[in-house]
Amino acid sequence: MEKVKLTLPTEDQIAWQNLDLGVFCHFGINTFCDQEWGEGKDSPQLFNPKELVAGQWVKLAKDAGFKYFILTAKHHDGFCLWPTATTDYSVKSSPWKDGKGDIVRECADACQKEGLHFGIYLSPWDRHEPCYSDIEAYDDFYSQQLTELMTQYGPLIEVWFDGAGSEGRKYNWERIVGIVKQYQPNAMIFNMGQPTIRWVGNEDGVAPYPCWNTESAAKISMFSNEKVAWLPGTPDWLPAECDVPIRKNHWFWHPNDEDSLLSMDELMHIYYHSVGHGTNLLLNISPDDRGLVPEVDAKRLLEFGAEIKRRFSNPLGKISGSGNEVVLELEKETSIDHILIMEDIAFGERVRKFEIEANVDGKWASIAAGTAIGHKFIKQVTPVKARELKLRILETVENPIIREFSCFNSEE
Ligand code: FUL
């Protein structure tokens, strides 16, 4: 068994982990060019989402039960969704709203209105900006973009630094992280510089099990096995986020692409392997060239949210406790097909090995077992009829503190 050091999260990390579900939103010049990675040469004249209402994207996220929303303010092509002073390659030069629109503003306002946390993705790799090849000049340019975003659109829950295209490239991460900390001290920093959260290592929305919160390494991107070199001072507690697009392998919208929409089974598989393994899930939606999330995608997202709610909002029984044994007694004998356990991570991730037993006709029988519990552990079990469940902690670093031990019957 891997020896894991007992270390504690910050309050901001705990608050972020408690959100479980976020919506990622990829929108930009690519949306109008049927492509994923524009080279930064597409004319801003192409950008005209005539029916865009960012409120529709955000309300959809809210209605599906997601708690935060992260927008690609600038993707690798360099096209900016806000009227930045750093470049003309932005909404300012587009016909949309006669160059007077600001999509980052609209999203920030909609999140405020709907009570969702707002986050920003700003690609370090910039294929348009002529000064990109000049390391110092680009650091200035990027820092200015980041400062605009950090000072005008907060409060922010998360800043997403994508490593793609930046393999082997050096940026002034001290300075970049300094800007986030100065203006958005509570925001999570994703995977680069001095992160507070890490990438899970794939774009399938699945975490390995166990997925310890104290893993101290992560890859930079899908395109190399390079590990990210983090700055000194990076916390030991570094929870993972699983990002995945709702249309298979497509982060941006493409015409005639409905077949790539993930099925409900695929989405539920993702939920069990992300949130169920104790990570956050960041599920991407792609508004189309009208500026609206396509109806089929919207319907699927709502269906997904409703199914999570249906399965997990009415526990048959629920208890908290501490020590090596926590017993959950139900009002009556019932069929059980899901178990959910949470440690109180404010005290660290203490459990290293556990077993769950059900009292079936007076005899205790093992129905599930595992190593990590951490923030959340969800397990679908073969249905069993019982009135009593026991969580037995077999290995632990210190006295286990169980925030929740609950069970469900999804057939009911
Ligand atoms: C990757 C990017 O290359 C994709 O286009 C997308 O933005 C995804 C979230 O991260 O690294």
Side-chain angles (χ1 to χ4, degrees), residues 56 60-61 64 245-248 250-254 257-262 264 267 283-288 290 292-305:
Q56 184 238 6
L60 174 63
I246 198 162
R247 291 197 181 194
K248 206 168 186 57
H250 286 169
W251 295 93
F252 287 91
W253 176 79
H254 299 267
D257 183 40
E258 285 74 17
D259 289 349
S260 70
L261 188 62
L262 297 187
M264 271 301 287
L267 287 169
L283 178 61
N284 186 71
I285 56 170
S286 323
D288 60 19
R290 298 171 301 169
L292 297 171
V293 178
E295 287 72 10
V296 279
D297 301 49
K299 198 165 157 263
R300 183 58 45 82
L301 186 64
L302 291 171
E303 208 185 333
F304 179 43

Side-chain angles (χ1 to χ4, degrees), residues 24 26 36-37 75-76 121 160 162 164 203 223 243 251:
F24 212 172
H26 275 62
E36 286 287 304
W37 278 14
H75 203 252
H76 310 323
Y121 166 116
W160 221 90
D162 191 340
E203 293 180 343
F223 312 101
D243 60 317
W251 295 93

Side-chain angles (χ1 to χ4, degrees), residues 40 42 44 73-75 77-94 99 122 126-132 138 140-142 144-146 148:
D42 299 304
K74 177 188 85 170
H75 203 252
D77 49 66
F79 185 81
C80 298
L81 296 186
W82 81 105
T84 174
T86 58
T87 173
D88 287 336
Y89 200 52
S90 81
V91 281
K92 238 174 14 191
S93 310
S94 79
L122 182 68
D126 190 320
R127 306 179 86 183
H128 174 84
E129 178 47 39
C131 82
Y132 185 73
Y138 184 73
D140 286 342
F141 173 89
Y142 189 75
Q144 199 186 330
Q145 292 195 327
L146 189 64
E148 290 178 359

Side-chain angles (χ1 to χ4, degrees), residues 210-226:
C211 184
W212 303 106
N213 285 290
T214 47
E215 171 66 46
S216 56
K219 283 201 311 174
I220 184 169
S221 77
M222 290 287 286
F223 312 101
S224 86
N225 280 325
E226 186 188 335

